[in-house]
Amino acid sequence: MFVDLGYPVRAAQRLKNDNREDELLNSRILFLTTYNTTLDFDEIFKDHQLADGIYQIIARHSKHYSKSGRKDLPSATDVQALSETLKLLFNLSQYYPQHLKDLAKCAPNILKILCRIHLATPVLQPPVTYLVNALLNLSIIYDEKPPKDSDPNPYFPRPDQFCNIDRFISILDNAVRTYTEEQLETLATPLVTLLRKVFEFAPSNVRPHMQTALLPTNSERSQPLGQSNTLAARLLRLSNSPVAPSLRESVASLLFELSDKDATSFVRNVGYGFAAGFLMTHDLPVPASATEGWSTARGNGDLGEKLTSVDGKEINPVTGQIRETEPEASGQEMTEEEKEKEAERLFILFERLKATGVVNVKNPVEQAVQEGRFEEVE
């Protein structure tokens, strides 16, 4: 009945008013009508310039955020109204992709707000989460002339093309240090997805900047990759998270894309231990030298060297650690009896794993017996 009486059209018209309370109410009404109603938003876009109205609203909000740090900061009502408008923008971009070109002009002002807004603790809360979500569907590359006084690509503005990227990465770094993996599953996945989209269209001078910021550095290779407290190490651990499947997939995909979608570079950057699961689940070929020792890999020429050396230093291709920093093996070699007990323990563990039904795995001990590689010892 609400839709039939034409109230959503009135709400769209009132969005043009420069009033935060009107914006809060009317954006909320329109947001709710994007779900399970007969409202024709195509008509509102065409007859009531809905995209222009949303653009003007966000442009007004952006004036509260200045580099000069002036004190006319947004009120609580301002923040609530902006959040509702951003939620509406996201749903419209999600459910009405035919209007994305008109909505994309909102991106510069959203980026301006996101770069200049004070980040609270914890960081991923409204309106920051809504600012990130609103950018997810908006075009990163303009097909036509950008809005007046705007850079050709607002994601990489002149003169500082890194400012937005650095802000995204700063927010992510703050988040992964603050939230649990379960919380990050919901809160951080959109931000990682946004970074993936931005990297795909990043200029040639921006891509190395992102790779340096998000991939493990050589200084981290004094220990197995993923064990330090850097952002890259935390991302590696999230790429194997058992409790955050969506985030795990998104982070692993980001690391693979930062490696130029090349399996060999991926293994070299993160270590085969972190790369193996992603490569296998996506049916990507595993580099032949990934799990081989240094001496074997060197025989494979450039590929082996790429996997097993960094700055001329030998690395473990599985852990990514520099060989000379690995702890020396301690203790005496196992006796035959100890080897037999260890084989028995592994056999039992694999049988238990098979019984869970989670994975279908061939017991390596059983396979070795079947292939005649075990000898009975009296």
Side-chain angles (χ1 to χ4, degrees), residues 323-367:
R323 290 283 194 187
E324 63 185 32
T325 65
E326 291 182 325
E328 295 184 4
S330 59
Q332 299 178 348
E333 186 178 350
M334 294 174 67
T335 64
E336 292 300 324
E337 182 179 358
E338 289 172 334
K339 291 179 181 179
E340 186 175 344
K341 288 182 178 180
E342 182 67 12
E344 182 180 356
R345 187 180 71 86
L346 290 174
F347 183 89
I348 293 172
L349 289 174
F350 269 91
E351 289 301 309
R352 288 177 179 173
L353 182 60
K354 286 171 61 177
T356 64
V358 175
V359 293
N360 183 17
V361 62
K362 182 79 170 179
N363 191 320
V365 181
E366 179 184 4
Q367 184 176 357

Side-chain angles (χ1 to χ4, degrees), residues 77-93:
T77 302
D78 290 328
V79 173
Q80 292 172 354
L82 174 61
S83 296
E84 293 300 328
T85 299
L86 292 169
K87 287 160 60 178
L88 171 62
L89 172 59
F90 173 78
N91 272 22
L92 292 174
S93 67

